[in-house]
Amino acid sequence: MDGSLPASALAGVGRAPFGVYVHVPFCATRCGYCDFNTYTAGELGTSASPQSWMEGLRAELALGARVTGGPAAGTVFVGGGTPSLLGADGLAEVLAAVRDTFGLAPGAEVSTESNPESTSPAFFDGILDAGYTRVSLGMQSAAAHVLRTLDRTHTPGRAVAAALEARAAGFAHVNLDLIYGTPGETDADLDASLAAVLEAGVDHVSAYALIVEDGTAMARKVRRGELPMPDDDVLASRYERLDAGLVAAGLDWYEVSNWSRPGAECRHNVGYWDGGDWWGAGPGAHSHVGGVRWWNVKHPARYAEVLARGESPAAARELLEPAEVHTERVMLTARLRSGLDPAELAPAELAVARERVADGLLVETAGRLVLTPRGRLLADAVVRDVLVAGD
């Protein structure tokens, strides 16, 4: 498999926003709730290493630039896993590989995720010098007992300290991730987390309801009765509490699970939600270009081996049919503050959307259909109702 794409997919490259995602599959430990494609050193053994991964990554980025014609990346997002385990030099090497292949558009947004425990003032200085413009730190909670339930390794307070270090280094854009609804979390715990986020002075917050994914250590604990399942009513209450506190502090929602100060939205993620193109490089990474979607082999050893042979690491791909493109567009744009364009809805879908306006779940403003605060709590149901009407 050489990774080539049909002419129909390549015809529009460069018209839509184009991003590059890099997946770093390494973690120091595995969090109990995580089902991402990540591996600890013990799980990998000698089968793969950061060095073999980096060699594969360079080869895949070169392949991607050849296949697409090398559109300059308007955004780059290094995720994982724990990218900060690579250190500032390793992340600089990653960004250099993107520059050498796709190139960066003027004013490109370059983000990396980081675990607070594997960062330092010198780390932030190093990645800023390398060209990173945005840092996303996994905080999850300010409560020690909540972090223990999640199997997080950082100490309470370290995430805030890391955010302050990033800002002191000169990063204008710093995000903190929160998880709410962990078994044992109280309203007071959530309030403490919110206060800590505001103390850090970040310009972006992502907050996600805890989901117990099959196959995780947390799912096994729930099955054995050691932990209760998150309660939907509690999750809704926590979301409302977070939203009110963030809005009062000047961070407004722009996607159901994301809040920012004006101009601090994550442009890379907006590209996903708004139908952009991106090349996802790394084990298990997903890509989308011109209505073609594909995903890579998952294991780092297999990934490096395939690329060393000069082949594409793609495991499979699909050409999205118009109906699938429509479904995904409704699902994603409905979650954005910019909302749904009524002109993109079939008559039956629009009729149901207007019913949801009457129900108080959507509001029609500036010619768009936007979720209300209550509608955000029921976003999946709103989308399902609209799409079912069009079937």
Side-chain angles (χ1 to χ4, degrees):
M1 199 170 173
D2 62 4
S4 59
L5 293 172
S8 59
L10 297 173
V13 170
R15 294 179 198 163
F18 189 88
V20 172
Y21 172 76
V22 174
H23 186 71
V24 180
F26 309 112
C27 279
T29 60
R30 181 172 294 281
C31 298
Y33 62 91
C34 179
D35 71 338
F36 293 166
N37 187 45
T38 62
Y39 304 83
T40 65
E43 289 169 339
L44 285 175
T46 59
S47 67
S49 68
Q51 292 73 31
S52 64
W53 166 82
M54 188 68 223
E55 290 169 7
L57 179 68
R58 286 197 203 95
E60 186 185 3
L61 291 171
L63 170 69
R66 288 196 305 272
V67 167
T68 61
T75 63
V76 177
F77 196 104
V78 184
T82 310
S84 48
L85 285 179
L86 300 176
D89 289 346
L91 284 171
E93 193 175 355
V94 168
L95 186 53
V98 176
R99 276 201 190 97
D100 292 344
T101 50
F102 286 96
L104 298 180
E109 174 194 87
V110 183
S111 306
T112 183
E113 294 178 338
S114 297
N115 185 309
E117 290 292 345
S118 51
T119 63
S120 66
F123 169 84
F124 292 119
D125 288 341
I127 63 172
L128 186 71
D129 288 345
Y132 287 81
T133 66
R134 186 175 179 278
V135 175
S136 181
L137 294 157
M139 176 178 168
Q140 320 318 346
S141 176
H145 72 96
V146 173
L147 293 176
R148 284 195 298 272
T149 300
L150 294 172
D151 292 327
R152 294 290 294 184
T153 57
H154 65 267
T155 55
R158 176 55 203 155
V160 169
L164 292 170
E165 290 166 3
R167 293 181 61 219
F171 277 96
H173 301 304
V174 181
N175 170 69
L176 283 171
D177 276 350
L178 293 175
I179 290 178
Y180 59 91
T182 301
E185 180 190 60
T186 65
D187 285 347
D189 294 329
L190 187 76
D191 290 345
S193 297
L194 178 59
V197 164
L198 300 180
E199 175 193 344
V202 298
D203 63 354
H204 192 288
V205 175
S206 301
Y208 305 101
L210 177 67
I211 298 174
V212 179
E213 301 284 4
D214 289 342
T216 62
M218 180 170 281
R220 291 189 288 274
K221 289 180 180 179
V222 168
R223 192 167 57 248
R224 292 194 298 263
E226 298 170 20
L227 288 175
M229 279 290 285
D231 181 271
D232 287 344
D233 290 338
V234 171
L235 293 175
S237 173
R238 297 275 156 77
Y239 180 90
E240 291 173 329
R241 202 176 188 97
L242 275 171
D243 182 55
L246 291 169
V247 169
L251 289 93
D252 212 346
W253 79 286
Y254 70 97
E255 191 272 344
V256 169
S257 299
N258 290 272
W259 294 255
S260 76
R261 299 194 185 282
E265 300 85 355
C266 178
R267 285 161 42 199
H268 186 85
N269 286 342
V270 171
Y272 292 151
W273 299 321
D274 207 27
D277 291 330
W278 72 93
W279 190 285
H286 286 231
S287 302
H288 172 268
V289 175
V292 178
R293 181 166 52 208
W294 67 95
W295 47 97
N296 286 347
V297 295
K298 287 189 170 185
H299 199 280
R302 175 69 174 152
Y303 172 78
E305 172 192 324
V306 169
L307 281 157
R309 294 202 303 263
E311 299 174 9
S312 166
R317 77 179 186 186
E318 59 185 350
L319 176 63
L320 300 176
E321 298 294 334
E324 294 173 302
V325 172
H326 174 73
T327 293
E328 293 192 3
R329 181 151 181 81
V330 170
M331 288 174 61
L332 295 173
T333 57
R335 295 179 61 87
L336 295 172
R337 189 183 181 93
S338 53
L340 290 164
D341 181 353
E344 294 187 14
L345 299 179
E349 293 173 334
L350 183 57
V352 170
R354 294 256 160 79
E355 290 176 9
R356 296 301 164 264
V357 171
D359 295 339
L361 300 178
L362 289 169
V363 61
E364 197 157 4
T365 177
R368 308 284 288 196
L369 293 159
V370 181
L371 291 167
T372 63
R374 189 162 71 91
R376 278 184 270 158
L377 296 175
L378 299 168
D380 291 345
V382 172
V383 167
R384 183 179 62 247
D385 291 348
V386 169
L387 289 172
V388 165
D391 285 347

PDB file of all heavy atoms in Angstrom, residues 180-184 209-210 212 228-238:
ATOM      1  N   TYR A 180     -14.741  15.707  34.954  1.00  0.00           N
ATOM      2  CA  TYR A 180     -15.702  15.848  36.057  1.00  0.00           C
ATOM      3  C   TYR A 180     -16.599  14.612  36.121  1.00  0.00           C
ATOM      4  O   TYR A 180     -16.797  13.917  35.132  1.00  0.00           O
ATOM      5  CB  TYR A 180     -16.537  17.129  35.910  1.00  0.00           C
ATOM      6  CG  TYR A 180     -17.344  17.216  34.632  1.00  0.00           C
ATOM      7  CD1 TYR A 180     -18.650  16.739  34.556  1.00  0.00           C
ATOM      8  CD2 TYR A 180     -16.802  17.812  33.486  1.00  0.00           C
ATOM      9  CE1 TYR A 180     -19.389  16.830  33.390  1.00  0.00           C
ATOM     10  CE2 TYR A 180     -17.532  17.908  32.310  1.00  0.00           C
ATOM     11  CZ  TYR A 180     -18.826  17.426  32.266  1.00  0.00           C
ATOM     12  OH  TYR A 180     -19.557  17.506  31.108  1.00  0.00           O
ATOM     13  N   GLY A 181     -17.102  14.355  37.339  1.00  0.00           N
ATOM     14  CA  GLY A 181     -17.987  13.216  37.541  1.00  0.00           C
ATOM     15  C   GLY A 181     -17.296  11.953  37.984  1.00  0.00           C
ATOM     16  O   GLY A 181     -17.898  10.879  38.013  1.00  0.00           O
ATOM     17  N   THR A 182     -16.021  12.045  38.367  1.00  0.00           N
ATOM     18  CA  THR A 182     -15.306  10.872  38.884  1.00  0.00           C
ATOM     19  C   THR A 182     -15.979  10.378  40.157  1.00  0.00           C
ATOM     20  O   THR A 182     -16.366  11.185  41.001  1.00  0.00           O
ATOM     21  CB  THR A 182     -13.837  11.246  39.185  1.00  0.00           C
ATOM     22  OG1 THR A 182     -13.226  11.707  37.986  1.00  0.00           O
ATOM     23  CG2 THR A 182     -13.070  10.053  39.724  1.00  0.00           C
ATOM     24  N   PRO A 183     -16.153   9.065  40.328  1.00  0.00           N
ATOM     25  CA  PRO A 183     -16.739   8.559  41.574  1.00  0.00           C
ATOM     26  C   PRO A 183     -15.996   9.113  42.797  1.00  0.00           C
ATOM     27  O   PRO A 183     -14.766   9.088  42.847  1.00  0.00           O
ATOM     28  CB  PRO A 183     -16.543   7.044  41.453  1.00  0.00           C
ATOM     29  CG  PRO A 183     -16.569   6.780  39.980  1.00  0.00           C
ATOM     30  CD  PRO A 183     -15.877   7.967  39.368  1.00  0.00           C
ATOM     31  N   GLY A 184     -16.750   9.643  43.737  1.00  0.00           N
ATOM     32  CA  GLY A 184     -16.158  10.224  44.940  1.00  0.00           C
ATOM     33  C   GLY A 184     -15.948  11.712  44.861  1.00  0.00           C
ATOM     34  O   GLY A 184     -15.715  12.368  45.886  1.00  0.00           O
ATOM     35  N   ALA A 209     -16.887  15.014  30.739  1.00  0.00           N
ATOM     36  CA  ALA A 209     -17.523  14.089  31.674  1.00  0.00           C
ATOM     37  C   ALA A 209     -16.783  12.755  31.631  1.00  0.00           C
ATOM     38  O   ALA A 209     -16.390  12.287  30.562  1.00  0.00           O
ATOM     39  CB  ALA A 209     -18.988  13.885  31.297  1.00  0.00           C
ATOM     40  N   LEU A 210     -16.570  12.174  32.796  1.00  0.00           N
ATOM     41  CA  LEU A 210     -15.902  10.872  32.848  1.00  0.00           C
ATOM     42  C   LEU A 210     -16.747   9.821  32.125  1.00  0.00           C
ATOM     43  O   LEU A 210     -17.930   9.670  32.396  1.00  0.00           O
ATOM     44  CB  LEU A 210     -15.679  10.449  34.297  1.00  0.00           C
ATOM     45  CG  LEU A 210     -15.038   9.060  34.470  1.00  0.00           C
ATOM     46  CD1 LEU A 210     -13.612   9.057  33.950  1.00  0.00           C
ATOM     47  CD2 LEU A 210     -15.080   8.621  35.928  1.00  0.00           C
ATOM     48  N   VAL A 212     -16.678   5.728  31.341  1.00  0.00           N
ATOM     49  CA  VAL A 212     -16.039   4.458  31.692  1.00  0.00           C
ATOM     50  C   VAL A 212     -15.979   3.600  30.434  1.00  0.00           C
ATOM     51  O   VAL A 212     -16.984   3.066  29.973  1.00  0.00           O
ATOM     52  CB  VAL A 212     -16.800   3.739  32.816  1.00  0.00           C
ATOM     53  CG1 VAL A 212     -16.123   2.414  33.150  1.00  0.00           C
ATOM     54  CG2 VAL A 212     -16.880   4.630  34.062  1.00  0.00           C
ATOM     55  N   PRO A 228     -18.749   3.051  41.658  1.00  0.00           N
ATOM     56  CA  PRO A 228     -20.046   3.207  41.005  1.00  0.00           C
ATOM     57  C   PRO A 228     -19.886   3.835  39.626  1.00  0.00           C
ATOM     58  O   PRO A 228     -18.900   4.533  39.358  1.00  0.00           O
ATOM     59  CB  PRO A 228     -20.797   4.156  41.943  1.00  0.00           C
ATOM     60  CG  PRO A 228     -19.714   5.003  42.540  1.00  0.00           C
ATOM     61  CD  PRO A 228     -18.510   4.101  42.681  1.00  0.00           C
ATOM     62  N   MET A 229     -20.839   3.585  38.743  1.00  0.00           N
ATOM     63  CA  MET A 229     -20.858   4.277  37.455  1.00  0.00           C
ATOM     64  C   MET A 229     -21.144   5.763  37.699  1.00  0.00           C
ATOM     65  O   MET A 229     -21.902   6.112  38.604  1.00  0.00           O
ATOM     66  CB  MET A 229     -21.946   3.696  36.557  1.00  0.00           C
ATOM     67  CG  MET A 229     -21.550   2.422  35.850  1.00  0.00           C
ATOM     68  SD  MET A 229     -20.307   2.682  34.550  1.00  0.00           S
ATOM     69  CE  MET A 229     -21.310   3.423  33.270  1.00  0.00           C
ATOM     70  N   PRO A 230     -20.569   6.653  36.902  1.00  0.00           N
ATOM     71  CA  PRO A 230     -20.917   8.070  37.015  1.00  0.00           C
ATOM     72  C   PRO A 230     -22.414   8.264  36.821  1.00  0.00           C
ATOM     73  O   PRO A 230     -23.037   7.618  35.978  1.00  0.00           O
ATOM     74  CB  PRO A 230     -20.116   8.722  35.877  1.00  0.00           C
ATOM     75  CG  PRO A 230     -18.965   7.786  35.641  1.00  0.00           C
ATOM     76  CD  PRO A 230     -19.517   6.415  35.894  1.00  0.00           C
ATOM     77  N   ASP A 231     -22.997   9.157  37.601  1.00  0.00           N
ATOM     78  CA  ASP A 231     -24.435   9.410  37.572  1.00  0.00           C
ATOM     79  C   ASP A 231     -24.741  10.539  36.578  1.00  0.00           C
ATOM     80  O   ASP A 231     -24.140  11.606  36.632  1.00  0.00           O
ATOM     81  CB  ASP A 231     -24.917   9.800  38.973  1.00  0.00           C
ATOM     82  CG  ASP A 231     -26.403  10.061  39.014  1.00  0.00           C
ATOM     83  OD1 ASP A 231     -26.807  11.216  38.782  1.00  0.00           O
ATOM     84  OD2 ASP A 231     -27.157   9.109  39.273  1.00  0.00           O
ATOM     85  N   ASP A 232     -25.692  10.316  35.653  1.00  0.00           N
ATOM     86  CA  ASP A 232     -25.994  11.304  34.615  1.00  0.00           C
ATOM     87  C   ASP A 232     -26.447  12.640  35.201  1.00  0.00           C
ATOM     88  O   ASP A 232     -26.084  13.712  34.691  1.00  0.00           O
ATOM     89  CB  ASP A 232     -27.062  10.768  33.664  1.00  0.00           C
ATOM     90  CG  ASP A 232     -26.531   9.687  32.739  1.00  0.00           C
ATOM     91  OD1 ASP A 232     -25.290   9.564  32.615  1.00  0.00           O
ATOM     92  OD2 ASP A 232     -27.347   8.954  32.145  1.00  0.00           O
ATOM     93  N   ASP A 233     -27.266  12.594  36.247  1.00  0.00           N
ATOM     94  CA  ASP A 233     -27.742  13.838  36.860  1.00  0.00           C
ATOM     95  C   ASP A 233     -26.591  14.605  37.496  1.00  0.00           C
ATOM     96  O   ASP A 233     -26.535  15.839  37.426  1.00  0.00           O
ATOM     97  CB  ASP A 233     -28.819  13.551  37.900  1.00  0.00           C
ATOM     98  CG  ASP A 233     -30.117  13.068  37.276  1.00  0.00           C
ATOM     99  OD1 ASP A 233     -30.339  13.354  36.076  1.00  0.00           O
ATOM    100  OD2 ASP A 233     -30.910  12.406  37.967  1.00  0.00           O
ATOM    101  N   VAL A 234     -25.680  13.885  38.120  1.00  0.00           N
ATOM    102  CA  VAL A 234     -24.507  14.530  38.715  1.00  0.00           C
ATOM    103  C   VAL A 234     -23.638  15.137  37.622  1.00  0.00           C
ATOM    104  O   VAL A 234     -23.149  16.275  37.757  1.00  0.00           O
ATOM    105  CB  VAL A 234     -23.698  13.517  39.554  1.00  0.00           C
ATOM    106  CG1 VAL A 234     -22.358  14.112  39.989  1.00  0.00           C
ATOM    107  CG2 VAL A 234     -24.502  13.088  40.783  1.00  0.00           C
ATOM    108  N   LEU A 235     -23.439  14.414  36.536  1.00  0.00           N
ATOM    109  CA  LEU A 235     -22.631  14.934  35.429  1.00  0.00           C
ATOM    110  C   LEU A 235     -23.239  16.220  34.877  1.00  0.00           C
ATOM    111  O   LEU A 235     -22.511  17.188  34.602  1.00  0.00           O
ATOM    112  CB  LEU A 235     -22.521  13.887  34.319  1.00  0.00           C
ATOM    113  CG  LEU A 235     -21.732  12.617  34.643  1.00  0.00           C
ATOM    114  CD1 LEU A 235     -21.814  11.634  33.484  1.00  0.00           C
ATOM    115  CD2 LEU A 235     -20.276  12.934  34.963  1.00  0.00           C
ATOM    116  N   ALA A 236     -24.562  16.260  34.732  1.00  0.00           N
ATOM    117  CA  ALA A 236     -25.221  17.461  34.220  1.00  0.00           C
ATOM    118  C   ALA A 236     -25.049  18.632  35.181  1.00  0.00           C
ATOM    119  O   ALA A 236     -24.753  19.762  34.770  1.00  0.00           O
ATOM    120  CB  ALA A 236     -26.703  17.186  33.989  1.00  0.00           C
ATOM    121  N   SER A 237     -25.207  18.355  36.464  1.00  0.00           N
ATOM    122  CA  SER A 237     -25.039  19.402  37.468  1.00  0.00           C
ATOM    123  C   SER A 237     -23.613  19.949  37.478  1.00  0.00           C
ATOM    124  O   SER A 237     -23.394  21.161  37.579  1.00  0.00           O
ATOM    125  CB  SER A 237     -25.407  18.849  38.850  1.00  0.00           C
ATOM    126  OG  SER A 237     -25.097  19.779  39.866  1.00  0.00           O
ATOM    127  N   ARG A 238     -22.642  19.055  37.357  1.00  0.00           N
ATOM    128  CA  ARG A 238     -21.235  19.484  37.356  1.00  0.00           C
ATOM    129  C   ARG A 238     -20.930  20.328  36.123  1.00  0.00           C
ATOM    130  O   ARG A 238     -20.178  21.304  36.184  1.00  0.00           O
ATOM    131  CB  ARG A 238     -20.314  18.261  37.412  1.00  0.00           C
ATOM    132  CG  ARG A 238     -20.461  17.444  38.684  1.00  0.00           C
ATOM    133  CD  ARG A 238     -19.617  17.992  39.831  1.00  0.00           C
ATOM    134  NE  ARG A 238     -20.163  17.580  41.114  1.00  0.00           N
ATOM    135  CZ  ARG A 238     -20.035  16.365  41.644  1.00  0.00           C
ATOM    136  NH1 ARG A 238     -19.358  15.439  40.991  1.00  0.00           N
ATOM    137  NH2 ARG A 238     -20.555  16.105  42.821  1.00  0.00           N
TER     138      ARG A 238
END
